[in-house]
Amino acid sequence: MTESERLAALIDQGIELVGAGERSDLRRRLEQSRRRLLDPSVRVIVVGEFKQGKSQLINALVNAPVCPVDDDIATSVPTVVKHGDPASAVVLVPKEAGQDPAAELSTGDPQLERREINLDELAAYVSEAGNPGNARNLAAAEVSLPRRLLSGGLSIVDSPGVGGLGSTHTLTTLTALPSAHAVVFVSDASQEYTEPEMRFLRQAMRVCPNVLCVLSKTDLYPSWRQVAGLDRQHLADVGPGIPLLPVSSELRLQAALLHDQELNEESGFPELISYLRDNIVGKAAAIQRRSVSQDLLSVTEHLRLSLQAELAALENPEGTPHMIAELQSAKQEADALRKRSARWQTTLNDGIGDLIADMEYDLRDRLRRIQREAEAAIDQGDPGPAWEQFSKWLEQSAAAAISDTFVWTSERAQWLAGRVAEHFSQDEVALPLMQVADSGGVLDPVGDMPTLEDGRMAPVQKVLIGMRGSYGGVLMFGLLTGIFGLALINPLSVGAGLLLGRKAYREEKEARLKRRQAEAKALVRKQVDDVVFQVGKQLKDRLRLVQRATRDHFTDLADEHHRSLTDSVAAAQKAAAGYAVERDLRIREIRARLKKVDALNQAAVVLQQPPATQPADEGPRPRAAAVRAG
């Protein structure tokens, strides 16, 4: 029996015990746990700047050209590579127009239509050449391959790197991170980490702490060891213990082609595969065990409470009134926790109000700093000729600020949920799943930056401005020199006209520059105000959803506790009024059920212990052609 089958059997035992006691609330919890167990997928998202070797890395991992590789930007649609036999490919298309593809991918929205395609045609759907800018509006593509590396539930996601990590595509990439078990950050060995890469790493660590860094293309750059040393220093500044693995995808593919085990070792991929298998898939299995264990422990404690109360009342009738009084007191406290404005509700409401105010301040403060920096840059020169590059910089800076705000808000929301959980007496209270850091599509309502006149004047315009300025000079000096018998057009009047015309041209040029600078500042303010309005509204709505989800989550916990105490009181009262014959029969029934509940509880406790180390001969052995199997 596999580990998943054993966990499913324990959950089924719990469902059977709960069903006998008609506890639908506990049954729902176990059914949710079973649904999570039935999805063994371990999502690993491969991210990084474009042209860093992300797609080739995945191809080398699975030894198949599943992700398109091109000299230009390649991936335009997220591509999920998972286990399946035979090899196949499908594309996921939203059934309803207007849905956000990134959000559907991260949330598993069922409103997706699966369309089978030939594996050879995959590049036409997911590459920039075949599907530029995701014109087909695909949510994702899925590729199934019979590979041992993927057989444990590992799913590898190739994310688009178009536009760089400093652009709005960062928001789409960050959207999928909360649902990922791990992130593989790819950067090639041509240079050390750049500032946009370090900023993205810090954000990714805050959303998904399980990050693995890969230094790619070591075969192309002889100085990759120096670059690796510099990158490790940068990673130490981000957080302790972030691994960096140098690899060469080309060497890996050549090793697979030539069946060369030594070349495969030199590629660095065996260490990468071991890390994915042991530290990511293995840890995901441990987390799954712990989650099932916590659900079973909580359910068995609730069941044990009512059964033990009834058993005590049956076996010790003299102490029943005292026990019922204690249970009634506990029930009243639970009832107050559930219905009245309990402390946890006050903490939640106050915390959400403070969080919304702090979020608005944080967003405005970040964007105002960008606005001041933009206005200072505008004052330093003519914004017209470089307006396109300036608009791109403003867009990237705003996207980076928004992603920082979303990640910070997500951390605060999790902290608030922890504060609310402290009001409950259980040793460990599960926290609700919140997706505040999902920032995909938040800038969609914001329009593009308006265009600005480049400020260039045609030669005819320059001549006309000069003539308009020189006309008065020629006329004035011509009349003045006419007193001395000179003609209206003479060298003095012409020279004066040229001087005044040049002065008029310079003044007109400065006036136009001032107007363009003022117009550029107005456009920047308007754009920043639009971003604050649209993003602030979406963040508020998201925090309100967080408030409702947190409230419902902890209300359900309070209801479960209240229901258990109510059942305990009712069972004790019923036991006290029972007849002797029925009492003996009921004692035997309760003891039998308690034995089953205790056995399930003990099995849940065992699940929390780390599994025994697998013997070497039982583990997955790398065969001679392990390069081909992945």
Side-chain angles (χ1 to χ4, degrees):
M1 181 182 292
T2 64
E3 176 75 6
S4 297
E5 291 174 346
R6 189 165 69 89
L7 295 176
L10 292 175
I11 293 175
D12 290 339
Q13 292 179 24
I15 292 176
E16 182 180 356
L17 289 173
V18 167
E22 298 180 354
R23 289 296 303 271
S24 59
D25 52 340
L26 301 181
R27 185 183 183 90
R28 282 195 302 270
R29 177 189 287 198
L30 291 178
E31 288 174 346
Q32 290 174 358
S33 182
R34 200 179 200 288
R35 282 194 294 270
R36 290 195 302 267
L37 188 64
L38 293 176
D39 181 16
S41 177
V42 179
R43 287 169 52 88
V44 175
I45 299 183
V46 181
V47 300
E49 291 272 13
F50 66 86
K51 305 317 299 172
Q52 298 296 306
K54 302 189 303 297
S55 301
Q56 190 75 325
L57 176 77
I58 297 176
N59 293 342
L61 273 172
V62 299
N63 189 28
V66 291
C67 299
V69 179
D70 199 356
D71 292 335
D72 199 357
I73 299 172
T75 308
S76 62
V77 174
T79 306
V80 182
V81 183
K82 61 181 184 179
H83 186 267
D85 194 6
S88 61
V90 297
V91 292
L92 281 65
V93 184
K95 292 182 180 179
E96 299 178 4
Q99 291 179 318
D100 179 26
E104 286 156 359
L105 175 65
S106 63
T107 59
D109 195 320
Q111 298 299 321
L112 291 174
E113 180 183 354
R114 301 173 63 89
R115 299 178 184 173
E116 292 189 11
I117 61 173
N118 293 329
L119 199 56
D120 297 337
E121 301 175 354
L122 182 65
Y125 288 88
V126 303
S127 68
E128 192 70 19
N131 185 16
N134 193 15
R136 299 174 185 259
N137 192 31
L138 303 180
E142 288 186 1
V143 180
S144 299
L145 294 174
R147 293 293 185 269
R148 188 177 62 185
L149 174 65
L150 308 175
S151 61
L154 179 65
S155 296
I156 307 174
V157 184
D158 184 18
S159 64
V162 183
L165 295 176
S167 68
T168 52
H169 295 277
T170 306
L171 298 177
T172 304
T173 304
L174 284 171
T175 295
L177 295 190
S179 62
H181 293 82
V183 175
V184 175
F185 184 79
V186 181
S187 180
D188 65 29
S190 62
Q191 61 178 357
E192 60 185 292
Y193 288 138
T194 61
E195 178 56 31
E197 287 178 321
M198 294 304 299
R199 185 190 311 121
F200 181 85
L201 263 177
R202 293 187 183 95
Q203 293 173 341
M205 284 289 294
R206 293 160 66 183
V207 177
C208 179
N210 197 2
V211 174
L212 165 66
C213 294
V214 170
L215 187 68
S216 62
K217 303 182 182 180
T218 57
D219 56 306
L220 297 180
Y221 303 100
S223 59
W224 66 265
R225 291 179 178 83
Q226 289 84 349
V227 175
L230 294 172
D231 286 347
R232 288 191 175 95
Q233 293 177 13
H234 293 309
L235 291 176
D237 296 334
V238 176
I242 303 177
L244 176 68
L245 303 181
V247 300
S248 170
S249 301
E250 289 299 329
L251 291 182
R252 162 80 169 179
L253 293 173
Q254 287 297 318
L257 185 64
L258 302 174
H259 305 281
D260 190 331
Q261 189 69 22
E262 183 179 352
L263 190 60
N264 182 50
E265 292 289 340
E266 187 178 349
S267 72
F269 271 79
E271 186 179 1
L272 174 60
I273 292 174
S274 297
Y275 188 92
L276 292 174
R277 183 179 59 242
D278 301 335
N279 293 70
I280 294 178
V281 178
K283 285 185 177 179
I287 292 173
Q288 187 179 63
R289 286 168 52 91
R290 182 171 177 81
S291 176
V292 171
S293 172
Q294 285 299 125
D295 288 338
L296 290 175
L297 285 174
S298 176
V299 168
T300 53
E301 288 298 329
H302 283 290
L303 292 176
R304 183 186 289 169
L305 179 63
S306 59
L307 290 174
Q308 286 181 338
E310 184 177 0
L311 181 62
L314 290 170
E315 293 181 336
N316 184 20
E318 295 80 7
T320 300
H322 178 67
M323 180 187 63
I324 291 178
E326 290 181 347
L327 289 172
Q328 287 282 13
S329 177
K331 177 178 173 293
Q332 290 174 0
E333 293 179 2
D335 192 54
L337 182 65
R338 185 183 64 160
K339 293 183 178 180
R340 295 200 307 264
S341 296
R343 288 182 299 169
W344 71 267
Q345 293 174 327
T346 304
T347 301
L348 175 61
N349 294 332
D350 292 347
I352 287 292
D354 293 342
L355 181 53
I356 289 177
D358 292 344
M359 174 273 300
E360 287 183 327
Y361 174 81
D362 182 79
L363 179 62
R364 289 180 180 274
D365 180 61
R366 294 179 191 274
L367 292 176
R368 280 183 178 178
R369 285 201 297 267
I370 295 173
Q371 179 180 326
R372 287 193 293 269
E373 187 177 352
E375 292 178 350
I378 290 172
D379 287 334
Q380 291 176 1
D382 188 353
W387 185 248
E388 184 177 351
Q389 292 84 352
F390 180 84
S391 300
K392 185 177 180 180
W393 168 84
L394 183 64
E395 176 188 1
Q396 292 176 351
S397 301
I402 291 167
S403 60
D404 284 337
T405 297
F406 269 73
V407 172
W408 176 83
T409 306
S410 176
E411 292 177 337
R412 280 288 304 272
Q414 292 289 347
W415 172 82
L416 177 60
R419 285 282 310 278
V420 176
E422 292 175 359
H423 291 289
F424 288 79
S425 58
Q426 288 94 329
D427 293 335
E428 185 170 353
V429 177
L431 299 182
L433 179 62
M434 294 178 287
Q435 299 276 348
V436 186
D438 179 359
S439 51
V442 295
L443 287 178
D444 290 348
V446 181
D448 294 333
M449 192 75 168
T451 58
L452 182 70
E453 181 186 355
D454 59 10
R456 295 186 178 91
M457 288 188 289
V460 176
Q461 286 181 295
K462 297 178 181 179
V463 171
L464 291 177
I465 292 172
M467 291 179 63
R468 187 168 62 246
S470 64
Y471 173 77
V474 171
L475 183 61
M476 181 176 59
F477 277 87
L479 292 175
L480 183 62
T481 55
I483 300 175
F484 302 98
L486 296 177
L488 182 65
I489 305 298
N490 60 73
L492 290 176
S493 64
V494 171
L498 290 175
L499 290 174
L500 292 177
R502 183 179 179 184
K503 181 175 181 295
Y505 173 73
R506 286 200 306 266
E507 290 176 350
E508 178 67 20
K509 187 176 180 181
E510 291 176 1
R512 290 191 175 207
L513 175 60
K514 294 295 183 184
R515 285 198 300 270
R516 280 195 302 276
Q517 288 176 335
E519 183 181 355
K521 290 180 180 179
L523 292 177
V524 168
R525 295 189 191 103
K526 182 177 180 298
Q527 189 76 2
V528 169
D529 287 343
D530 198 15
V531 170
V532 170
F533 174 75
Q534 297 291 351
V535 177
K537 175 65 168 61
Q538 294 188 51
L539 262 176
K540 286 181 183 177
D541 293 343
R542 201 158 299 179
L543 288 176
R544 292 301 182 190
L545 292 176
V546 167
Q547 181 181 16
R548 297 187 187 102
T550 307
R551 179 197 62 202
D552 295 343
H553 175 80
F554 287 107
T555 299
D556 289 343
L557 287 179
D559 286 346
E560 285 181 4
H561 187 52
H562 178 270
R563 174 72 183 273
S564 297
L565 290 171
T566 301
D567 288 354
S568 300
V569 172
Q573 291 174 339
K574 180 180 178 181
Y579 294 103
V581 176
E582 296 177 353
R583 182 178 300 155
D584 293 339
L585 180 62
R586 183 57 180 164
I587 287 175
R588 287 195 294 272
E589 292 177 355
I590 292 174
R591 284 178 174 170
R593 286 199 62 201
L594 268 176
K595 186 176 181 180
K596 294 180 180 179
V597 170
D598 290 340
L600 184 59
N601 183 274
Q602 185 60 34
V605 172
V606 172
L607 286 180
Q608 290 194 327
Q609 301 173 0
T613 305
Q614 193 178 38
D617 58 346
E618 294 182 8
R621 297 179 180 177
R623 57 186 181 181
V627 199
R628 299 183 57 82

